[in-house]
Amino acid sequence: MPAVAIPGSKSITARALFLAAAADGVTTLVRPLRSDDTEGFAEGLTRLGYRVGRTPESWQVDGRPEGPAVAEADVYCRDGATTARFLPTLAAAGHGTYRFDASAQMRRRPLLPLSRALRDLGVDLRHEEAEGHHPLTVRASGVEGGEVVLDAGQSSQYLTALLLLGPLTRRGLRIRVTDLVSVPYVEITIAMMRAFGVEVAREGNVFVVPAGGYRATTYAIEPDASTASYFFAAAAVTPGTEVTVPGLGTGALQGDLGFVDVLRRMGADVSVTPEGTTVRGTGRLHGLTVNMRDISDTMPTLAALAPFADGPVRIEDVANTRVKECDRLEACAENLRRLGADVTVGPDWIEIRPGLDPAPAGAEIKTYGDHRIVMSFAVTGLRVPGISFDDPGCVRKTFPGFHEAFAALRRDIGH
């Protein structure tokens, strides 16, 4: 029974870095994810004048409740959406002029609802080229706070950024949300803010965040549930194979662990305990219709194993996956068709019918530089020999050692 060591959660590591930077005192983050995204976030904090000390097992961050230590900075956010959305928000609470830019891929991803909300709170934020996209400059003079309206229908990260900002404002924040996707990610944010000494109240669609700042703490990062989905899926498509992920169990913060409930509905054996989660392939995978609005990062994982089900797999309410690292709905559809699958796509759904006809002798997967496309179709590769990727290295965004870990799993299960 392979126990798979999954690296730390990307979303939790990014939030923890913001909270540590904003807190009063020195915070220790235990087992943070070390990947291109999180290294980019830590490097951004360093550019803003925060001290980030690193050992192999932990990072120490000297918090500065008053904001960045430098009056001017140029920050490159790489491909990281959390970096590109959270750091300008953190900088707004300080005093100085801070410019942010990002990779071509990240420049394409939207930012406008967050920019509008920050401007409504009095932040001087200017987009240099396309409105609502990087690059941008924040001329910061602290944030007063008060009430603001936000549309988080494209990304819950907009709401998370404002929630994290709330305690750094002079009066606190009341955030009225008109639309919201990926609710479990917001619940992660609120739980983590509590660990740093701040209690968020919710009144219907209004989130109330008090002023008063954060206190430093020692915070352990749990394994990444989205990354774990590929290993759980590998067990589900391989009869008799069992995969356990320790440290990701009943107390987990991440909603993406809900992916195992989808595998259970399809016929896999699933056990979730306080110590971890185990999935075992039974040789059965049933078709189903599933709403993945709240766990949309695992949509490609399900799409990649869908041809091996005994009936159609229809995934609904995932329009927001079109504005991720790539248009994931189209990317999944195109690659499945390359493998001989019968696929239909709509504005916010994808339906995949059973079988790969003709069964291909491998094909090159077009990754669009998206780590989740690579990791998902590695699962398909357990049943389809000879699959290759045009950019296998893009997994460094969240899991630099993915190919080695998946190869080890493949050896364990005899593929």
Side-chain angles (χ1 to χ4, degrees):
M1 179 183 75
V4 182
I6 299 291
S9 160
K10 178 182 75 155
S11 45
I12 292 179
T13 302
R15 286 160 175 76
L17 283 167
F18 184 116
L19 289 161
D24 192 4
V26 178
T27 290
T28 300
L29 305 181
V30 183
R31 293 183 303 280
L33 171 64
R34 305 194 75 145
S35 74
D36 197 61
D37 269 15
T38 57
E39 294 280 0
F41 199 116
E43 179 188 286
L45 287 176
T46 304
R47 295 297 289 261
L48 292 168
Y50 297 89
R51 193 192 72 81
V52 182
R54 306 181 207 193
T55 68
E57 282 298 300
S58 66
W59 289 352
Q60 279 83 30
V61 183
D62 281 9
R64 289 184 53 84
E66 65 275 31
V70 296
E72 276 186 39
D74 214 315
V75 177
Y76 182 64
C77 300
R78 305 190 193 182
D79 281 337
T82 47
T83 310
R85 291 161 178 170
F86 295 178
L87 285 184
T89 308
L90 176 66
H95 291 78
T97 301
Y98 309 108
R99 183 179 181 276
F100 298 87
D101 200 359
S103 68
Q105 183 189 64
M106 188 59 226
R107 276 185 169 201
R108 288 193 296 273
R109 297 181 67 181
L111 198 69
L112 192 58
L114 177 60
S115 302
R116 282 186 175 143
L118 289 170
R119 286 173 180 154
D120 288 346
L121 289 168
V123 176
D124 181 349
L125 184 155
R126 293 175 198 182
H127 292 281
E128 290 175 21
E129 295 176 18
E131 182 64 11
H133 295 267
H134 280 272
L136 63 92
T137 299
V138 175
R139 289 177 179 79
S141 54
V143 181
E144 185 63 25
E147 181 146 343
V148 68
V149 176
L150 175 73
D151 178 350
Q154 257 179 344
S155 172
S156 64
Q157 288 178 5
Y158 306 150
L159 176 56
T160 280
L162 293 180
L163 289 168
L164 292 170
L165 172 67
L168 303 179
T169 65
R170 288 184 275 274
R171 293 197 290 128
L173 281 184
R174 287 178 61 86
I175 308 160
R176 186 176 301 279
V177 179
T178 58
D179 191 16
L180 180 58
V181 289
S182 305
V183 172
Y185 281 98
V186 176
E187 290 165 353
I188 292 173
T189 305
I190 291 170
M192 292 183 66
M193 289 171 70
R194 188 178 300 122
F196 283 78
V198 173
E199 200 63 54
V200 175
R202 185 168 182 182
E203 302 163 1
N205 63 346
V206 178
F207 293 81
V208 183
V209 191
Y214 297 102
R215 58 169 185 266
T217 187
T218 296
Y219 193 88
I221 311 292
E222 69 188 34
D224 193 293
S226 312
T227 301
S229 75
Y230 313 113
F231 295 86
F232 293 140
V237 300
T238 317
T241 293
E242 196 166 285
V243 165
T244 297
V245 176
L248 194 62
T250 45
L253 295 180
Q254 298 162 83
D256 275 4
L257 185 55
F259 180 73
V260 299
D261 296 328
V262 179
L263 295 178
R264 182 188 280 126
R265 282 178 60 193
M266 294 179 80
D269 281 345
V270 176
S271 162
V272 185
T273 69
E275 287 71 47
T277 296
T278 300
V279 173
R280 189 177 69 83
T282 59
R284 297 186 311 276
L285 272 181
H286 305 307
L288 81 174
T289 296
V290 60
N291 183 310
M292 295 188 86
R293 180 183 178 92
D294 284 345
I295 57 169
S296 58
D297 272 350
T298 62
M299 178 279 290
T301 322
L302 181 56
L305 63 81
F308 311 118
D310 60 13
V313 171
R314 183 181 170 94
I315 304 168
E316 298 182 335
D317 207 359
V318 286
N320 67 313
T321 63
R322 290 187 179 276
V323 292
K324 298 283 188 174
E325 282 80 344
C326 69
D327 180 336
R328 286 183 179 156
L329 275 178
E330 292 299 337
C332 286
E334 178 182 352
N335 284 309
L336 286 165
R337 288 180 186 130
R338 283 177 174 221
L339 296 174
D342 181 7
V343 183
T344 314
V345 184
D348 66 347
W349 58 269
I350 183 169
E351 186 168 311
I352 301 136
R353 282 164 286 286
L356 297 174
D357 186 29
E364 185 175 77
I365 298 298
K366 197 169 174 185
T367 63
Y368 299 92
D370 188 334
H371 57 133
R372 299 218 181 278
I373 299 298
V374 176
M375 294 191 272
S376 297
F377 280 90
V379 176
T380 318
L382 292 172
R383 297 274 290 266
V384 178
I387 279 182
S388 62
F389 301 97
D390 63 4
D391 181 11
C394 67
V395 296
R396 64 186 168 273
K397 182 176 171 67
T398 49
F399 191 175
F402 172 78
H403 294 294
E404 293 76 9
F406 213 75
L409 177 68
R410 186 185 279 267
R411 286 193 298 275
D412 283 338
I413 63 184
H415 274 262

